[in-house]
Amino acid sequence: MRGAEDLETQASQEERLRRLAAAFESRFGRSPAAVAAAPGRVNLIGEHLDYNEGHVLPVAIDRSIMVAFAPRPDGQVRLYSLDFEQESAFDLEDIGKDPEAPWSDYVRGVAWALREGGHHLSGLDAALQGDVPVGSGLSSSAALEVAALGAFEAVSGLRLDRRDLALLGQRAENAFVGVACGIMDQMAAALSRAGHALLIDCRSLEHEAVPLPLGASGSGGGGGLSLVVADSGVRRALLDSQYNLRRQECQRAAELLAAAIAGRPVTALRDVRPEDLARHGGALPPNLLRRARHVVEEERRVLLSVEALRTGDVEAFGEMLNASHRSLRDDYEVSCPELDLLVELAWAQPGVLGSRLTGAGFGGCTISLVRAEAVEVFGEGVVARYCAETGREGRMYVCRAADGLRLHRLQRSP
Ligand code: GLA
């Protein structure tokens, strides 16, 4: 890659919609009824807190999965992926995985979860296309699940509450695809609002849009801030096993602390306060103490971050991002040398208010909050240097905070 110049040029949304509709028409010989689009996400702060029932603060990004669809009366689902140039079809009465087309399992999974939830579904034809990079921790799978849910909802005449829709996406991923994720990614893909982050209480699933001080174009301007995603190019090899291990460690830490903390129920690490850890931390073996410390302090950082954003104290917010990275690196141990290098290069760069790994870790991306006028220099000083030092294909994207799931009715050409 070429560092500073690699600010991805994206086809405009209209252009993507037009191309997708044309592909649908040539594949299925008719026009699509509409296009469901759901975004990828980055998490600003609150990492590994969703399954500990704490707060998280993701942002939907302006990269999405689009599903153009039209109903079928015969209970069949026919899918065509433009990105994989591949078709996959199934019967709603008999939903299994397709090992030849694993991308289709997310669509199969949501159809399965909807039916299991008692919903009556119509079949459909669908053409799919995305510009969320796959495997880099920007939640392309949640985006696909949520977009597919939007398509099934529309063809089947359902009206799903957006929280329930997110839960169905998570259920598909947990029980059908077989990945033990939390609820953050699907909530972000379903419920985000442009220009805002989404504060989610992962216990009650209450959520609230928090305005972001990003430049109108996302790349700032007029002294604004930019949200820069840097992709390490490391595909997360250890992810599944280590992710599951962290979940188990947190559960065990919560059980041990529940036994030590009298008079108050502790069902998840969310219930543990900093002073509890100071008093009862001795009840935990050292590695579990480090995991619990990350969760307890990260929960505090999320709430302080929201306060800082509300009062416009972007420096304080940046400090929270930095502290979150140190905690993920040292206490939660989910970073890797490449992510640390990207973050350290960013920390040394003028105009960077904060930088941290985002998502599950072990590869994937970092996010940095960068003064708009410093974005170009960030490309040279961080991403190009990272590529030179590691020999990897790093990339960067300047992100806009986008809307969650949307349905686009297509303009017919005259
Ligand atoms: C992955 C999971 C999320 C969340 C993050 C870590 O993205 O899908 O549910 O646990 O990791 O914050």
Side-chain angles (χ1 to χ4, degrees), residues 66-89:
M66 291 184 167
V67 177
F69 61 89
R72 289 177 66 94
D74 59 0
Q76 300 294 308
V77 176
R78 282 198 301 168
L79 307 172
Y80 178 70
S81 160
L82 272 70
D83 301 316
F84 293 95
E85 298 180 355
Q86 194 181 23
E87 194 171 301
S88 180

Side-chain angles (χ1 to χ4, degrees), residues 9-25:
T9 46
Q10 274 178 266
S12 74
Q13 172 143 303
E14 290 68 36
E15 179 59 17
R16 281 181 67 203
L17 286 167
R18 210 184 48 69
R19 269 194 247 149
L20 184 59
F24 183 100
E25 279 173 25

Side-chain angles (χ1 to χ4, degrees), residues 41 46-48 50-51 181-185 243 359-360:
R41 65 98 190 91
E47 215 62 88
H48 289 276
D50 56 358
Y51 55 83
C181 62
I183 189 62
M184 170 171 74
D185 307 340
Y243 187 86

Side-chain angles (χ1 to χ4, degrees), residues 174-380:
N174 292 167
F176 188 89
V177 179
V179 175
C181 62
I183 189 62
M184 170 171 74
D185 307 340
Q186 291 79 5
M187 287 280 286
L191 283 149
S192 293
R193 227 171 90 193
H196 295 72
L198 188 71
L199 174 66
I200 309 168
D201 177 333
C202 296
R203 173 167 280 167
S204 66
L205 296 191
E206 274 166 27
H207 53 89
E208 190 183 338
V210 178
L212 286 176
L214 300 178
S217 68
S219 56
L225 295 175
S226 295
L227 183 59
V228 180
V229 176
D231 188 342
S232 67
V234 177
R235 296 295 171 250
R236 306 158 301 151
L238 290 172
L239 184 59
D240 281 0
S241 59
Q242 288 295 317
Y243 187 86
N244 291 340
L245 181 59
R246 291 297 175 281
R247 290 188 73 138
Q248 286 158 17
E249 289 170 338
C250 288
Q251 206 178 341
R252 184 72 192 129
E255 281 161 15
L256 291 170
L257 287 167
I261 300 170
R264 196 155 47 80
V266 171
T267 57
L269 286 180
R270 148 78 176 267
D271 300 311
V272 178
R273 303 171 188 154
E275 56 271 26
D276 296 328
L277 263 198
R279 256 181 93 185
H280 301 292
L284 301 177
N287 67 326
L288 295 194
L289 179 58
R290 290 199 301 278
R291 307 296 185 251
R293 191 164 56 208
H294 166 73
V295 173
V296 170
E297 290 177 2
E298 184 83 346
E299 172 70 9
R300 211 183 102 254
R301 280 190 288 268
V302 178
L303 303 178
L304 290 173
S305 294
V306 171
E307 219 176 282
L309 283 170
R310 290 212 167 105
T311 55
D313 190 348
V314 290
E315 280 84 8
F317 176 53
E319 276 310 312
M320 294 295 154
L321 300 183
N322 298 342
S324 172
H325 185 78
R326 288 191 291 269
S327 174
L328 289 160
R329 182 191 62 195
D330 302 336
D331 279 347
Y332 217 63
E333 297 177 275
V334 293
S335 190
C336 63
E338 291 86 352
L339 289 172
D340 289 341
L341 177 61
L342 271 175
V343 165
E344 277 155 27
L345 288 168
W347 284 345
Q349 197 64 28
V352 174
L353 295 170
S355 185
R356 60 181 285 273
L357 74 83
T358 188
F362 301 106
C365 294
T366 66
I367 46 160
S368 303
L369 194 64
V370 183
R371 294 202 188 278
E373 63 275 13
V375 168
E376 226 174 290
V377 185
F378 185 99
E380 286 151 27

Side-chain angles (χ1 to χ4, degrees), residues 10 13 16-17 20 35-41 59-69 110 127-133 138-151 162 165-166 169 185-192 402-408:
Q10 274 178 266
Q13 172 143 303
R16 281 181 67 203
L17 286 167
L20 184 59
V35 176
R41 65 98 190 91
V59 179
I61 59 175
D62 49 342
R63 295 187 158 246
S64 62
I65 308 281
M66 291 184 167
V67 177
F69 61 89
V110 301
L128 292 69
Q129 193 272 329
D131 64 0
V132 188
L138 300 178
S139 288
S140 57
S141 41
L144 175 51
E145 287 152 9
V146 168
L149 280 160
R162 286 308 179 241
L165 185 142
D185 307 340
Q186 291 79 5
M187 287 280 286
L191 283 149
S192 293
D403 275 318
L405 174 62
R406 295 195 56 192
L407 207 61
H408 301 275

